[in-house]
Amino acid sequence: MENSRSIEARRLCALAPIIPVLVVHDVAHARPLAEALVRGGLPVLEVTLRTPAALEVIAEMAKVEGGYAGAGTLVTADDVAAAVKAGAQFGVSPGATDALLDATEAADLPMLPGAATASEAMALLARGYDVQKFFPAEASGGVGALKGIGGPLPQITFCPTGGINPDNAQSYLSQPNVICAGGSWVAPNDLITAGKWDEIEALARAASQLGQPS
């Protein structure tokens, strides 16, 4: 039985083929970065909770028209509470525990929980999550693993993340059980630090066309 948080996660994942996975160190970069990515056609933004500025970055990005700012690297219930307080519109986790899912469900936070094995995927499915993050994608067997899992579990749709790049993204997106992919290449740290928003917009625009028929 699907739950409302997974239904909303599916809607967000369907908005663009790539979800930028963002590591932002300076809150001053938050809005121009989000605006560049949204202009480029990537409206769903995952801000990883890996920097001291991350929660402030989420709060700023959530104000950008046309964008959806979410919190990545959710691991604990405290992470969920902090993300929701910052204005996160969805959550992403590298894996899933009952405590983490209980917290996201109590907060009614749309959630893309992580799984790397058939057992993990089945456990999430049993809680109503039929859209899941496949992580770490390349290290967990890549496209071949997704094909293998898709055979017995065709009802689960994945957003592979981890090792996705412009060279292999198309092969992931062509799989019937892949709705989108997470990638960090659209917002490299050197371009963020230099404030080269036009170049980031161009990377986003190219990524937004991935998965389209040639």
Side-chain angles (χ1 to χ4, degrees), residues 134 136-148 160 162 164 172 175:
F134 180 61
E138 280 288 282
S140 298
V143 171
L146 282 169
K147 287 180 178 178
I164 312 297
Y172 279 97
Q175 301 308 309

Side-chain angles (χ1 to χ4, degrees), residues 5 93 95-106 111 113 123-124 127 129:
R5 290 152 299 278
S93 64
T97 64
D98 287 336
L100 179 65
L101 296 178
D102 288 346
T104 59
E105 289 165 9
M111 185 65 177
L124 287 170
R127 286 190 69 141
Y129 294 92

Side-chain angles (χ1 to χ4, degrees), residues 116-152:
T117 67
S119 292
E120 291 168 357
M122 289 167 62
L124 287 170
L125 183 63
R127 286 190 69 141
Y129 294 92
D130 67 355
V131 181
Q132 303 171 15
K133 171 180 174 177
F134 180 61
F135 178 83
E138 280 288 282
S140 298
V143 171
L146 282 169
K147 287 180 178 178
I149 291 174

Side-chain angles (χ1 to χ4, degrees), residues 19-39 42-49 51 53-72 83 85-90 183-184 186-188 192-193 197 200:
I19 295 178
V21 179
L22 307 172
V23 180
V24 185
H25 298 273
D26 186 343
V27 69
H29 295 147
R31 292 195 69 157
L33 173 59
E35 289 165 354
L37 292 166
V38 171
R39 283 196 307 270
L42 302 182
V44 183
L45 313 173
E46 177 189 341
V47 180
T48 63
L49 299 186
T51 71
L55 293 170
E56 290 181 89
V57 169
I58 289 170
E60 285 300 305
M61 287 189 170
K63 301 173 186 175
V64 172
E65 185 175 356
Y68 299 88
K85 185 177 180 181
Q89 292 154 290
F90 65 94
S184 59
V186 294
I192 294 175
T193 302
W197 312 123
I200 289 174

